[in-house]
Amino acid sequence: MTVTWEELGWERLAAGVGRCRLPGWDCTVGLVVGQGTALLIDAGSSLGEGARLRAQAEAFTGHRVTHLALTHPHFDHVFGAAAFAGAEVFGAVGIDTVFTARHAREGLRADAVRNGLEADSADEAMESLTPPRHHVSGEWTLDLGGGRQVLLANVGPGHTAHDLAVLVPGAPEVVFCGDLVEESGEPQAGPDAVPSHWPAALDRLLDLGGEDALYVPGHGAVVDAAFVRAQRDALATRFGVS
């Protein structure tokens, strides 16, 4: 027996499209339902959190998660990925270097522990973390069946060197932005950010969604095009780029 978005504690954005805000780091996870398919957008901060997301998605759809899109390689978005065995996993081209290079993996684990993830959970996630099978360069149209298609777009670099956005066409259109857009605080620019390209990445997001889309940030409430445009201008001023 399936359940509703509300019973799951998720927010419905459009027909067959929803998201939840996870505890701890207020990270957004999205779900897009197709015909016998389900696309999850980001995977949570640990294997335990990933398993809970998988169970919720299965309870809502009545079937397993078939596709997983990772918006960028930060622990709170990817450490639950191994909980989705059998799913087709997508990431921006180059993301595999973060998952395989020793220094990058160590940095990912250290960031998780520094931000409050228990060391055992971080170690467990790192041991099971594998690169996405599908690397998106440019745009990739994903057919989920039943007339539902989504567009995966490599819009970065910006927040990281490997930023992936997900556009779900419809009324309204929904754009999952990852941490290129943040509503609950100032966008975080860590050592792996590419500030000189970040405003241009937001321009590409706006081109994707248009004026009437719902823009889903990596952290915080859903926003509109005006918010994204204002954040784009603030980042340009902050980093001294046009």
Side-chain angles (χ1 to χ4, degrees):
M1 184 178 187
T2 58
V3 299
T4 66
W5 294 114
E6 292 75 16
E7 288 171 324
L8 285 178
W10 287 51
E11 178 184 0
R12 180 187 183 276
L13 302 175
V17 185
R19 70 94 178 235
C20 69
R21 293 169 67 172
L22 298 174
W25 295 277
D26 189 28
C27 179
T28 284
V29 167
L31 179 64
V32 184
V33 184
Q35 184 173 325
T37 62
L39 166 67
L40 197 78
I41 301 159
D42 285 336
S45 62
S46 67
L47 287 177
E49 194 161 64
R52 289 190 293 274
L53 289 166
R54 183 192 66 217
Q56 290 176 346
E58 290 175 351
F60 181 77
T61 64
H63 53 261
R64 69 181 183 88
V65 172
T66 55
H67 300 78
L68 173 64
L70 302 176
T71 62
H72 63 286
H74 284 167
F75 83 93
D76 49 334
H77 296 259
V78 305
F79 266 13
F84 298 90
E88 297 290 332
V89 185
F90 296 77
V93 66
I95 194 175
D96 54 313
T97 61
V98 181
F99 287 18
T100 57
R102 179 177 177 180
H103 72 282
R105 288 173 63 89
E106 290 175 349
L108 194 59
R109 180 197 178 278
D111 185 53
V113 173
R114 183 168 56 250
N115 280 280
L117 186 66
E118 293 183 358
D120 288 348
S121 293
D123 290 338
E124 182 184 35
M126 285 303 308
E127 289 171 3
S128 59
L129 191 64
T130 58
R133 177 181 176 185
H134 304 289
H135 301 152
V136 181
S137 176
E139 297 179 352
W140 186 313
T141 299
L142 187 61
D143 189 351
L144 296 178
R148 164 140 278 166
Q149 293 184 329
V150 300
L151 183 70
L152 310 181
N154 184 339
V155 296
H159 176 66
T160 72
H162 316 292
D163 292 311
L164 187 73
V166 180
L167 169 67
V168 187
E173 295 195 326
V174 180
V175 183
F176 289 92
C177 307
D179 286 4
L180 286 167
V181 178
E182 295 193 44
E183 184 277 334
S184 55
E186 185 175 84
Q188 298 300 300
D192 57 344
V194 187
S196 61
H197 288 73
W198 201 333
L202 295 190
D203 287 335
R204 287 191 284 275
L205 282 181
L206 290 164
D207 288 341
L208 278 177
E211 286 301 306
D212 298 324
L214 299 178
Y215 292 87
V216 186
H219 303 266
V222 175
V223 300
D224 59 13
F227 181 96
V228 177
R229 189 171 295 107
Q231 193 155 94
R232 180 255 182 238
D233 293 344
L235 287 168
T237 299
R238 175 179 167 188
F239 298 131
V241 297
S242 58

